[in-house]
Amino acid sequence: GAQEDARIRTLLSLFRVTGAANAAGKDPAEALKEADRKFCAETAERGGDGWADWFAQDGVMYPPNGRVDGREEIRARMVPAFASGMKLTWDPVTAVIAASGDLGYTQGRWVLSVPNAAGQDSTAATGNYVSIWKKEAGAWRVALDIGNRDPEE
C-alpha cells in the first residue's frame, strides 16, 4: 500500500547513484564492483578465511537455512564449507552507492560448485545475490549478504 510505497521511495533515495567521481577519478560504483570482484578472488584463493575477512566485524550473512551474525561466526560457518571442496564464484552486475559515499550494494549472479565422484568440479547450484556494503576505515566491507537459488530445471 501507500506505506510500503513510501518506504521504497525512501530506500531508493538513500541509494541514489552518484555520478561524481572520487578523488582518484574512479566512478564509485565501479570501485565497489572491483571490491566485490576482489572479494570473490580472495575467497577462491583462501576459502572461508578469504570469505569472512571481507565482512564487517558486525556483518550478517543469510545462508539458505538461517542467519549468521558477526565476522567470526561467519568464519566458523564458512571455513569448513570451503574446506570440503565447495567453490563459490560470483560476478556483480550492478553496483549502487548512496549519496553519502559510505554505503552501497552490489547484485549479481553466483555459481556453487562441488567436487563430483571423479574429483572434478560440478555445478551444484546457481542464483542471484545482493550484498550491502559499508565503509570501515576507508575500506569497503560486507555488512549484509543474501542470495537465492535459481529454480531447478
Side-chain angles (χ1 to χ4, degrees):
Q3 192 174 22
E4 185 173 322
D5 290 344
R7 281 188 293 215
I8 291 170
R9 280 193 303 276
T10 301
L11 182 62
L12 291 174
S13 71
L14 289 173
F15 286 103
R16 286 194 311 267
V17 178
T18 58
N22 64 17
K26 186 176 289 185
D27 174 13
E30 280 305 310
L32 184 54
K33 278 184 176 179
E34 285 180 23
D36 201 1
R37 289 183 185 112
K38 190 170 181 183
F39 174 26
C40 181
E42 289 188 16
T43 299
E45 289 173 21
R46 300 177 41 238
D49 283 318
W51 171 270
D53 286 348
W54 276 88
F55 276 79
Q57 199 65 37
D58 61 350
V60 177
M61 178 180 84
Y62 285 93
N65 55 352
R67 173 183 166 137
V68 183
D69 288 277
R71 182 186 298 151
E72 295 314 312
E73 289 298 316
I74 291 169
R75 184 182 316 280
R77 173 81 174 254
M78 297 305 284
V79 165
F82 282 102
S84 73
M86 176 186 91
K87 292 181 182 172
L88 180 63
T89 59
W90 63 92
D91 190 44
V93 175
T94 304
V96 176
I97 305 291
S100 63
D102 61 354
L103 192 65
Y105 69 85
T106 53
Q107 63 183 35
R109 301 278 304 155
W110 57 263
V111 176
L112 176 71
S113 301
V114 294
N116 62 21
Q120 298 169 328
D121 287 343
S122 175
T123 298
T126 58
N128 298 289
Y129 74 91
V130 174
S131 296
I132 298 175
W133 297 75
K134 65 180 179 177
K135 285 231 176 140
E136 279 188 351
W140 286 112
R141 293 286 171 234
V142 177
L144 187 144
D145 182 74
I146 189 166
N148 65 346
R149 186 178 183 153
D150 290 334
E152 295 190 26
E153 295 180 11

